[in-house]
Amino acid sequence: LHATCTTPQPYLVIMGIDLIAGGRRTGHKNRKAPKSENVYIRLLTKLYSFLVRRTDSKFNKVVLKRLCMSKAIRVPMGVARVARYMAGKTDKLAVFVGTITDDVRLEGRKLPALNIVALRVTEGARARITAAGGNVYTFDQLAMMRPTGANTVLLRGRRTARTVNRYFGTPGSSGASV
């Protein structure tokens, strides 16, 4: 039968994708809420969803998106890497949605005074940052100080630094370790 057939036939089934209702892109949506049961992360999600609504700051949208990410994607970052990224930006706040860890390779080296905002900072990293004359802030303190994220540097960790990434890819292809 032709597509111009005006009378519906009982055996004629027109198949296709309902693009209007369902859409084409599936399985690639951002989370709207964190899967974590952590009360602190849930409260921060409420706070930053409010800031996204009330300000037109892209910074708040990115922070909210990263708060909802899984822990495997919110990879940690060492203090040395933060110092490297913040070189020449002493007047700005380093914002990292994740954990800041200590770096034992910095023993004997001078760390610059860093102002860091992070979800979590290990004890060693906190001691090293404060000893260098820096400060560690939380995200609720950041929302009070700079609600639009002005004068901040938003950092993210290396996702491919996880051990599992060594085993991804086709064995034998270039760059594959397997």
mmCIF file of all heavy atoms in Angstrom, residues 55-104:
data_model
loop_
_atom_site.group_PDB
_atom_site.id
_atom_site.type_symbol
_atom_site.label_atom_id
_atom_site.label_comp_id
_atom_site.label_asym_id
_atom_site.label_seq_id
_atom_site.Cartn_x
_atom_site.Cartn_y
_atom_site.Cartn_z
ATOM 1 N N THR A 55 19.516 32.673 40.144
ATOM 2 C CA THR A 55 20.577 33.418 39.458
ATOM 3 C C THR A 55 20.695 32.848 38.048
ATOM 4 O O THR A 55 20.283 31.720 37.796
ATOM 5 C CB THR A 55 21.936 33.257 40.181
ATOM 6 O OG1 THR A 55 22.330 31.892 40.131
ATOM 7 C CG2 THR A 55 21.875 33.725 41.606
ATOM 8 N N ASP A 56 21.271 33.603 37.152
ATOM 9 C CA ASP A 56 21.478 33.089 35.800
ATOM 10 C C ASP A 56 22.947 32.715 35.607
ATOM 11 O O ASP A 56 23.515 32.887 34.537
ATOM 12 C CB ASP A 56 21.003 34.098 34.756
ATOM 13 C CG ASP A 56 21.684 35.447 34.903
ATOM 14 O OD1 ASP A 56 22.319 35.664 35.948
ATOM 15 O OD2 ASP A 56 21.592 36.269 33.976
ATOM 16 N N SER A 57 23.544 32.193 36.667
ATOM 17 C CA SER A 57 24.954 31.838 36.653
ATOM 18 C C SER A 57 25.158 30.408 36.143
ATOM 19 O O SER A 57 24.552 29.462 36.645
ATOM 20 C CB SER A 57 25.511 31.965 38.077
ATOM 21 O OG SER A 57 26.773 31.372 38.161
ATOM 22 N N LYS A 58 26.022 30.270 35.151
ATOM 23 C CA LYS A 58 26.345 28.943 34.619
ATOM 24 C C LYS A 58 27.154 28.143 35.648
ATOM 25 O O LYS A 58 27.092 26.925 35.695
ATOM 26 C CB LYS A 58 27.126 29.086 33.314
ATOM 27 C CG LYS A 58 27.281 27.777 32.574
ATOM 28 C CD LYS A 58 28.039 27.943 31.286
ATOM 29 C CE LYS A 58 28.251 26.575 30.657
ATOM 30 N NZ LYS A 58 29.193 26.618 29.559
ATOM 31 N N PHE A 59 27.912 28.848 36.465
ATOM 32 C CA PHE A 59 28.713 28.228 37.517
ATOM 33 C C PHE A 59 27.841 27.359 38.422
ATOM 34 O O PHE A 59 28.174 26.213 38.713
ATOM 35 C CB PHE A 59 29.413 29.324 38.335
ATOM 36 C CG PHE A 59 30.100 28.831 39.574
ATOM 37 C CD1 PHE A 59 31.377 28.301 39.509
ATOM 38 C CD2 PHE A 59 29.475 28.898 40.808
ATOM 39 C CE1 PHE A 59 32.009 27.854 40.656
ATOM 40 C CE2 PHE A 59 30.094 28.445 41.959
ATOM 41 C CZ PHE A 59 31.370 27.921 41.870
ATOM 42 N N ASN A 60 26.706 27.891 38.863
ATOM 43 C CA ASN A 60 25.809 27.148 39.757
ATOM 44 C C ASN A 60 25.225 25.922 39.063
ATOM 45 O O ASN A 60 25.038 24.885 39.690
ATOM 46 C CB ASN A 60 24.684 28.055 40.262
ATOM 47 C CG ASN A 60 25.196 29.081 41.244
ATOM 48 O OD1 ASN A 60 26.137 28.831 41.979
ATOM 49 N ND2 ASN A 60 24.600 30.253 41.230
ATOM 50 N N LYS A 61 24.935 26.029 37.769
ATOM 51 C CA LYS A 61 24.420 24.883 37.017
ATOM 52 C C LYS A 61 25.436 23.754 36.974
ATOM 53 O O LYS A 61 25.097 22.586 37.148
ATOM 54 C CB LYS A 61 24.058 25.296 35.587
ATOM 55 C CG LYS A 61 22.818 26.135 35.493
ATOM 56 C CD LYS A 61 22.509 26.482 34.057
ATOM 57 C CE LYS A 61 21.326 27.423 34.002
ATOM 58 N NZ LYS A 61 21.074 27.925 32.652
ATOM 59 N N VAL A 62 26.699 24.117 36.755
ATOM 60 C CA VAL A 62 27.762 23.113 36.672
ATOM 61 C C VAL A 62 27.980 22.460 38.033
ATOM 62 O O VAL A 62 28.135 21.237 38.129
ATOM 63 C CB VAL A 62 29.067 23.743 36.137
ATOM 64 C CG1 VAL A 62 30.210 22.764 36.176
ATOM 65 C CG2 VAL A 62 28.859 24.249 34.725
ATOM 66 N N VAL A 63 27.977 23.263 39.100
ATOM 67 C CA VAL A 63 28.161 22.720 40.450
ATOM 68 C C VAL A 63 27.018 21.768 40.796
ATOM 69 O O VAL A 63 27.248 20.675 41.324
ATOM 70 C CB VAL A 63 28.286 23.855 41.502
ATOM 71 C CG1 VAL A 63 28.216 23.304 42.911
ATOM 72 C CG2 VAL A 63 29.582 24.600 41.304
ATOM 73 N N LEU A 64 25.789 22.152 40.474
ATOM 74 C CA LEU A 64 24.633 21.285 40.739
ATOM 75 C C LEU A 64 24.743 19.974 39.970
ATOM 76 O O LEU A 64 24.489 18.898 40.511
ATOM 77 C CB LEU A 64 23.340 22.009 40.367
ATOM 78 C CG LEU A 64 22.060 21.199 40.533
ATOM 79 C CD1 LEU A 64 21.833 20.858 42.002
ATOM 80 C CD2 LEU A 64 20.866 21.953 39.981
ATOM 81 N N LYS A 65 25.142 20.066 38.712
ATOM 82 C CA LYS A 65 25.301 18.869 37.886
ATOM 83 C C LYS A 65 26.353 17.935 38.481
ATOM 84 O O LYS A 65 26.171 16.720 38.542
ATOM 85 C CB LYS A 65 25.699 19.292 36.472
ATOM 86 C CG LYS A 65 25.876 18.155 35.493
ATOM 87 C CD LYS A 65 26.272 18.710 34.143
ATOM 88 C CE LYS A 65 26.773 17.616 33.242
ATOM 89 N NZ LYS A 65 27.288 18.138 31.976
ATOM 90 N N ARG A 66 27.453 18.505 38.951
ATOM 91 C CA ARG A 66 28.543 17.691 39.524
ATOM 92 C C ARG A 66 28.178 17.134 40.892
ATOM 93 O O ARG A 66 28.670 16.075 41.273
ATOM 94 C CB ARG A 66 29.823 18.512 39.601
ATOM 95 C CG ARG A 66 30.385 18.808 38.231
ATOM 96 C CD ARG A 66 31.735 19.443 38.317
ATOM 97 N NE ARG A 66 32.137 19.930 36.998
ATOM 98 C CZ ARG A 66 33.237 20.625 36.786
ATOM 99 N NH1 ARG A 66 34.055 20.924 37.776
ATOM 100 N NH2 ARG A 66 33.530 21.048 35.572
ATOM 101 N N LEU A 67 27.340 17.836 41.646
ATOM 102 C CA LEU A 67 26.884 17.307 42.934
ATOM 103 C C LEU A 67 26.048 16.041 42.746
ATOM 104 O O LEU A 67 26.033 15.164 43.605
ATOM 105 C CB LEU A 67 26.065 18.349 43.694
ATOM 106 C CG LEU A 67 26.838 19.443 44.422
ATOM 107 C CD1 LEU A 67 25.892 20.521 44.897
ATOM 108 C CD2 LEU A 67 27.634 18.872 45.573
ATOM 109 N N CYS A 68 25.345 15.961 41.620
ATOM 110 C CA CYS A 68 24.482 14.813 41.350
ATOM 111 C C CYS A 68 25.233 13.646 40.715
ATOM 112 O O CYS A 68 24.661 12.573 40.535
ATOM 113 C CB CYS A 68 23.329 15.226 40.441
ATOM 114 S SG CYS A 68 22.198 16.378 41.231
ATOM 115 N N MET A 69 26.496 13.851 40.372
ATOM 116 C CA MET A 69 27.267 12.792 39.708
ATOM 117 C C MET A 69 27.592 11.656 40.665
ATOM 118 O O MET A 69 27.586 11.824 41.883
ATOM 119 C CB MET A 69 28.572 13.358 39.153
ATOM 120 C CG MET A 69 28.421 14.199 37.936
ATOM 121 S SD MET A 69 30.032 14.793 37.410
ATOM 122 C CE MET A 69 29.586 15.636 35.914
ATOM 123 N N SER A 70 27.901 10.503 40.070
ATOM 124 C CA SER A 70 28.294 9.355 40.883
ATOM 125 C C SER A 70 29.690 9.580 41.443
ATOM 126 O O SER A 70 30.463 10.402 40.934
ATOM 127 C CB SER A 70 28.272 8.076 40.046
ATOM 128 O OG SER A 70 29.291 8.125 39.081
ATOM 129 N N LYS A 71 30.027 8.826 42.474
ATOM 130 C CA LYS A 71 31.313 9.009 43.138
ATOM 131 C C LYS A 71 32.473 8.604 42.236
ATOM 132 O O LYS A 71 33.571 9.137 42.347
ATOM 133 C CB LYS A 71 31.343 8.185 44.430
ATOM 134 C CG LYS A 71 32.421 8.637 45.386
ATOM 135 C CD LYS A 71 32.303 7.934 46.712
ATOM 136 C CE LYS A 71 33.429 8.360 47.627
ATOM 137 N NZ LYS A 71 33.410 7.618 48.883
ATOM 138 N N ALA A 72 32.235 7.671 41.317
ATOM 139 C CA ALA A 72 33.280 7.237 40.385
ATOM 140 C C ALA A 72 33.667 8.362 39.433
ATOM 141 O O ALA A 72 34.800 8.423 38.960
ATOM 142 C CB ALA A 72 32.796 6.032 39.597
ATOM 143 N N ILE A 73 32.734 9.267 39.155
ATOM 144 C CA ILE A 73 33.030 10.390 38.261
ATOM 145 C C ILE A 73 33.578 11.580 39.048
ATOM 146 O O ILE A 73 34.362 12.365 38.526
ATOM 147 C CB ILE A 73 31.762 10.775 37.463
ATOM 148 C CG1 ILE A 73 31.354 9.609 36.577
ATOM 149 C CG2 ILE A 73 31.995 12.002 36.610
ATOM 150 C CD1 ILE A 73 30.071 9.819 35.836
ATOM 151 N N ARG A 74 33.194 11.697 40.322
ATOM 152 C CA ARG A 74 33.737 12.759 41.176
ATOM 153 C C ARG A 74 35.079 12.306 41.743
ATOM 154 O O ARG A 74 35.233 12.079 42.933
ATOM 155 C CB ARG A 74 32.772 13.055 42.330
ATOM 156 C CG ARG A 74 31.594 13.891 41.960
ATOM 157 C CD ARG A 74 30.798 14.326 43.172
ATOM 158 N NE ARG A 74 29.986 13.272 43.749
ATOM 159 C CZ ARG A 74 30.153 12.768 44.971
ATOM 160 N NH1 ARG A 74 31.092 13.233 45.754
ATOM 161 N NH2 ARG A 74 29.384 11.806 45.407
ATOM 162 N N VAL A 75 36.069 12.164 40.887
ATOM 163 C CA VAL A 75 37.366 11.608 41.293
ATOM 164 C C VAL A 75 38.135 12.610 42.155
ATOM 165 O O VAL A 75 37.948 13.820 42.019
ATOM 166 C CB VAL A 75 38.197 11.204 40.051
ATOM 167 C CG1 VAL A 75 37.578 10.029 39.354
ATOM 168 C CG2 VAL A 75 38.353 12.357 39.101
ATOM 169 N N PRO A 76 38.993 12.124 43.049
ATOM 170 C CA PRO A 76 39.751 13.033 43.918
ATOM 171 C C PRO A 76 40.866 13.759 43.170
ATOM 172 O O PRO A 76 41.246 13.372 42.070
ATOM 173 C CB PRO A 76 40.325 12.096 44.987
ATOM 174 C CG PRO A 76 40.378 10.770 44.341
ATOM 175 C CD PRO A 76 39.248 10.723 43.374
ATOM 176 N N MET A 77 41.368 14.800 43.815
ATOM 177 C CA MET A 77 42.481 15.554 43.252
ATOM 178 C C MET A 77 43.471 15.876 44.365
ATOM 179 O O MET A 77 43.068 16.190 45.488
ATOM 180 C CB MET A 77 41.971 16.857 42.620
ATOM 181 C CG MET A 77 43.052 17.669 41.941
ATOM 182 S SD MET A 77 42.467 19.254 41.316
ATOM 183 C CE MET A 77 41.664 18.752 39.828
ATOM 184 N N GLY A 78 44.747 15.775 44.058
ATOM 185 C CA GLY A 78 45.789 16.062 45.030
ATOM 186 C C GLY A 78 46.048 17.558 45.163
ATOM 187 O O GLY A 78 45.741 18.344 44.261
ATOM 188 N N VAL A 79 46.640 17.935 46.304
ATOM 189 C CA VAL A 79 46.933 19.350 46.573
ATOM 190 C C VAL A 79 47.942 19.894 45.567
ATOM 191 O O VAL A 79 47.841 21.045 45.130
ATOM 192 C CB VAL A 79 47.479 19.523 48.015
ATOM 193 C CG1 VAL A 79 47.797 20.964 48.313
ATOM 194 C CG2 VAL A 79 46.481 19.027 49.026
ATOM 195 N N ALA A 80 48.891 19.061 45.148
ATOM 196 C CA ALA A 80 49.911 19.514 44.193
ATOM 197 C C ALA A 80 49.283 19.896 42.860
ATOM 198 O O ALA A 80 49.661 20.896 42.239
ATOM 199 C CB ALA A 80 50.949 18.408 43.985
ATOM 200 N N ARG A 81 48.311 19.121 42.422
ATOM 201 C CA ARG A 81 47.639 19.410 41.147
ATOM 202 C C ARG A 81 46.809 20.696 41.258
ATOM 203 O O ARG A 81 46.765 21.498 40.328
ATOM 204 C CB ARG A 81 46.757 18.234 40.740
ATOM 205 C CG ARG A 81 46.211 18.346 39.335
ATOM 206 C CD ARG A 81 45.528 17.076 38.920
ATOM 207 N NE ARG A 81 46.447 15.987 38.680
ATOM 208 C CZ ARG A 81 47.054 15.766 37.507
ATOM 209 N NH1 ARG A 81 46.845 16.571 36.489
ATOM 210 N NH2 ARG A 81 47.872 14.749 37.363
ATOM 211 N N VAL A 82 46.168 20.894 42.413
ATOM 212 C CA VAL A 82 45.406 22.131 42.638
ATOM 213 C C VAL A 82 46.356 23.326 42.581
ATOM 214 O O VAL A 82 46.057 24.338 41.948
ATOM 215 C CB VAL A 82 44.652 22.102 43.987
ATOM 216 C CG1 VAL A 82 43.979 23.430 44.267
ATOM 217 C CG2 VAL A 82 43.628 20.990 44.005
ATOM 218 N N ALA A 83 47.534 23.192 43.224
ATOM 219 C CA ALA A 83 48.519 24.271 43.226
ATOM 220 C C ALA A 83 49.000 24.562 41.808
ATOM 221 O O ALA A 83 49.204 25.727 41.433
ATOM 222 C CB ALA A 83 49.697 23.888 44.118
ATOM 223 N N ARG A 84 49.161 23.508 40.994
ATOM 224 C CA ARG A 84 49.611 23.679 39.610
ATOM 225 C C ARG A 84 48.551 24.427 38.789
ATOM 226 O O ARG A 84 48.865 25.318 38.009
ATOM 227 C CB ARG A 84 49.877 22.314 38.987
ATOM 228 C CG ARG A 84 50.726 22.417 37.752
ATOM 229 C CD ARG A 84 50.993 21.077 37.094
ATOM 230 N NE ARG A 84 51.079 19.961 38.017
ATOM 231 C CZ ARG A 84 50.742 18.728 37.691
ATOM 232 N NH1 ARG A 84 50.294 18.446 36.478
ATOM 233 N NH2 ARG A 84 50.855 17.752 38.560
ATOM 234 N N TYR A 85 47.279 24.072 38.965
ATOM 235 C CA TYR A 85 46.205 24.731 38.226
ATOM 236 C C TYR A 85 45.996 26.172 38.680
ATOM 237 O O TYR A 85 45.526 27.010 37.918
ATOM 238 C CB TYR A 85 44.887 23.968 38.370
ATOM 239 C CG TYR A 85 44.833 22.679 37.590
ATOM 240 C CD1 TYR A 85 44.152 21.591 38.091
ATOM 241 C CD2 TYR A 85 45.435 22.551 36.344
ATOM 242 C CE1 TYR A 85 44.077 20.395 37.389
ATOM 243 C CE2 TYR A 85 45.378 21.368 35.634
ATOM 244 C CZ TYR A 85 44.699 20.291 36.152
ATOM 245 O OH TYR A 85 44.622 19.126 35.454
ATOM 246 N N MET A 86 46.303 26.449 39.955
ATOM 247 C CA MET A 86 46.049 27.779 40.509
ATOM 248 C C MET A 86 47.277 28.689 40.455
ATOM 249 O O MET A 86 47.261 29.764 41.052
ATOM 250 C CB MET A 86 45.570 27.647 41.956
ATOM 251 C CG MET A 86 44.232 26.958 42.105
ATOM 252 S SD MET A 86 42.920 27.756 41.203
ATOM 253 C CE MET A 86 42.710 29.230 42.161
ATOM 254 N N ALA A 87 48.318 28.290 39.752
ATOM 255 C CA ALA A 87 49.522 29.117 39.640
ATOM 256 C C ALA A 87 49.174 30.429 38.941
ATOM 257 O O ALA A 87 48.592 30.436 37.851
ATOM 258 C CB ALA A 87 50.591 28.367 38.859
ATOM 259 N N GLY A 88 49.497 31.532 39.580
ATOM 260 C CA GLY A 88 49.211 32.850 39.018
ATOM 261 C C GLY A 88 47.784 33.318 39.252
ATOM 262 O O GLY A 88 47.375 34.346 38.710
ATOM 263 N N LYS A 89 47.008 32.578 40.023
ATOM 264 C CA LYS A 89 45.612 32.956 40.289
ATOM 265 C C LYS A 89 45.388 33.033 41.797
ATOM 266 O O LYS A 89 44.444 32.464 42.324
ATOM 267 C CB LYS A 89 44.660 31.924 39.678
ATOM 268 C CG LYS A 89 44.814 31.780 38.181
ATOM 269 C CD LYS A 89 44.007 30.626 37.666
ATOM 270 C CE LYS A 89 44.315 30.373 36.211
ATOM 271 N NZ LYS A 89 43.797 29.114 35.726
ATOM 272 N N THR A 90 46.274 33.700 42.499
ATOM 273 C CA THR A 90 46.241 33.718 43.958
ATOM 274 C C THR A 90 45.014 34.429 44.521
ATOM 275 O O THR A 90 44.596 34.148 45.636
ATOM 276 C CB THR A 90 47.503 34.395 44.518
ATOM 277 O OG1 THR A 90 47.647 35.670 43.879
ATOM 278 C CG2 THR A 90 48.735 33.556 44.246
ATOM 279 N N ASP A 91 44.436 35.362 43.748
ATOM 280 C CA ASP A 91 43.284 36.105 44.247
ATOM 281 C C ASP A 91 41.970 35.363 44.061
ATOM 282 O O ASP A 91 40.931 35.816 44.523
ATOM 283 C CB ASP A 91 43.206 37.471 43.542
ATOM 284 C CG ASP A 91 43.136 37.322 42.031
ATOM 285 O OD1 ASP A 91 43.707 36.349 41.509
ATOM 286 O OD2 ASP A 91 42.511 38.188 41.382
ATOM 287 N N LYS A 92 41.999 34.189 43.404
ATOM 288 C CA LYS A 92 40.766 33.455 43.112
ATOM 289 C C LYS A 92 40.592 32.256 44.038
ATOM 290 O O LYS A 92 41.547 31.760 44.627
ATOM 291 C CB LYS A 92 40.770 32.987 41.661
ATOM 292 C CG LYS A 92 40.793 34.142 40.690
ATOM 293 C CD LYS A 92 40.518 33.694 39.298
ATOM 294 C CE LYS A 92 40.510 34.895 38.376
ATOM 295 N NZ LYS A 92 39.618 34.755 37.271
ATOM 296 N N LEU A 93 39.344 31.803 44.124
ATOM 297 C CA LEU A 93 39.003 30.612 44.909
ATOM 298 C C LEU A 93 39.024 29.386 43.998
ATOM 299 O O LEU A 93 38.429 29.417 42.921
ATOM 300 C CB LEU A 93 37.597 30.752 45.482
ATOM 301 C CG LEU A 93 37.421 31.303 46.878
ATOM 302 C CD1 LEU A 93 35.957 31.537 47.157
ATOM 303 C CD2 LEU A 93 37.996 30.379 47.905
ATOM 304 N N ALA A 94 39.662 28.323 44.435
ATOM 305 C CA ALA A 94 39.634 27.059 43.700
ATOM 306 C C ALA A 94 38.424 26.275 44.179
ATOM 307 O O ALA A 94 38.291 25.984 45.370
ATOM 308 C CB ALA A 94 40.913 26.276 43.951
ATOM 309 N N VAL A 95 37.517 25.934 43.255
ATOM 310 C CA VAL A 95 36.294 25.203 43.602
ATOM 311 C C VAL A 95 36.396 23.805 43.001
ATOM 312 O O VAL A 95 36.613 23.656 41.797
ATOM 313 C CB VAL A 95 35.038 25.926 43.074
ATOM 314 C CG1 VAL A 95 33.787 25.162 43.434
ATOM 315 C CG2 VAL A 95 34.978 27.334 43.624
ATOM 316 N N PHE A 96 36.244 22.797 43.856
ATOM 317 C CA PHE A 96 36.367 21.413 43.405
ATOM 318 C C PHE A 96 35.252 20.582 44.023
ATOM 319 O O PHE A 96 35.168 20.466 45.245
ATOM 320 C CB PHE A 96 37.739 20.849 43.812
ATOM 321 C CG PHE A 96 37.983 19.464 43.314
ATOM 322 C CD1 PHE A 96 38.178 19.213 41.972
ATOM 323 C CD2 PHE A 96 38.001 18.393 44.191
ATOM 324 C CE1 PHE A 96 38.392 17.929 41.511
ATOM 325 C CE2 PHE A 96 38.214 17.112 43.741
ATOM 326 C CZ PHE A 96 38.416 16.877 42.394
ATOM 327 N N VAL A 97 34.395 20.009 43.172
ATOM 328 C CA VAL A 97 33.302 19.169 43.662
ATOM 329 C C VAL A 97 33.850 17.752 43.791
ATOM 330 O O VAL A 97 33.789 16.959 42.857
ATOM 331 C CB VAL A 97 32.083 19.211 42.709
ATOM 332 C CG1 VAL A 97 30.926 18.426 43.304
ATOM 333 C CG2 VAL A 97 31.663 20.637 42.454
ATOM 334 N N GLY A 98 34.413 17.462 44.952
ATOM 335 C CA GLY A 98 35.020 16.164 45.195
ATOM 336 C C GLY A 98 35.931 16.246 46.403
ATOM 337 O O GLY A 98 35.812 17.141 47.244
ATOM 338 N N THR A 99 36.880 15.301 46.480
ATOM 339 C CA THR A 99 37.792 15.210 47.613
ATOM 340 C C THR A 99 39.175 15.726 47.234
ATOM 341 O O THR A 99 39.707 15.365 46.185
ATOM 342 C CB THR A 99 37.922 13.744 48.070
ATOM 343 O OG1 THR A 99 36.622 13.235 48.339
ATOM 344 C CG2 THR A 99 38.765 13.619 49.320
ATOM 345 N N ILE A 100 39.743 16.560 48.104
ATOM 346 C CA ILE A 100 41.118 17.021 47.948
ATOM 347 C C ILE A 100 41.978 16.162 48.861
ATOM 348 O O ILE A 100 41.705 16.048 50.062
ATOM 349 C CB ILE A 100 41.262 18.512 48.334
ATOM 350 C CG1 ILE A 100 40.382 19.400 47.463
ATOM 351 C CG2 ILE A 100 42.711 18.951 48.266
ATOM 352 C CD1 ILE A 100 40.819 19.549 46.036
ATOM 353 N N THR A 101 42.987 15.528 48.283
ATOM 354 C CA THR A 101 43.848 14.625 49.055
ATOM 355 C C THR A 101 45.236 15.224 49.240
ATOM 356 O O THR A 101 45.643 16.124 48.505
ATOM 357 C CB THR A 101 43.972 13.260 48.341
ATOM 358 O OG1 THR A 101 44.467 13.469 47.020
ATOM 359 C CG2 THR A 101 42.645 12.551 48.279
ATOM 360 N N ASP A 102 45.960 14.684 50.228
ATOM 361 C CA ASP A 102 47.318 15.126 50.512
ATOM 362 C C ASP A 102 48.272 14.503 49.499
ATOM 363 O O ASP A 102 47.995 13.451 48.939
ATOM 364 C CB ASP A 102 47.705 14.711 51.935
ATOM 365 C CG ASP A 102 48.972 15.394 52.403
ATOM 366 O OD1 ASP A 102 49.399 16.361 51.757
ATOM 367 O OD2 ASP A 102 49.543 14.953 53.420
ATOM 368 N N ASP A 103 49.390 15.145 49.292
ATOM 369 C CA ASP A 103 50.400 14.646 48.374
ATOM 370 C C ASP A 103 51.726 14.549 49.119
ATOM 371 O O ASP A 103 52.316 15.579 49.464
ATOM 372 C CB ASP A 103 50.513 15.580 47.166
ATOM 373 C CG ASP A 103 51.108 14.885 45.959
ATOM 374 O OD1 ASP A 103 51.806 13.870 46.154
ATOM 375 O OD2 ASP A 103 50.874 15.354 44.833
ATOM 376 N N VAL A 104 52.182 13.332 49.388
ATOM 377 C CA VAL A 104 53.415 13.140 50.162
ATOM 378 C C VAL A 104 54.644 13.575 49.375
ATOM 379 O O VAL A 104 55.708 13.814 49.956
ATOM 380 C CB VAL A 104 53.575 11.666 50.610
ATOM 381 C CG1 VAL A 104 52.550 11.303 51.653
ATOM 382 C CG2 VAL A 104 53.519 10.725 49.434
#
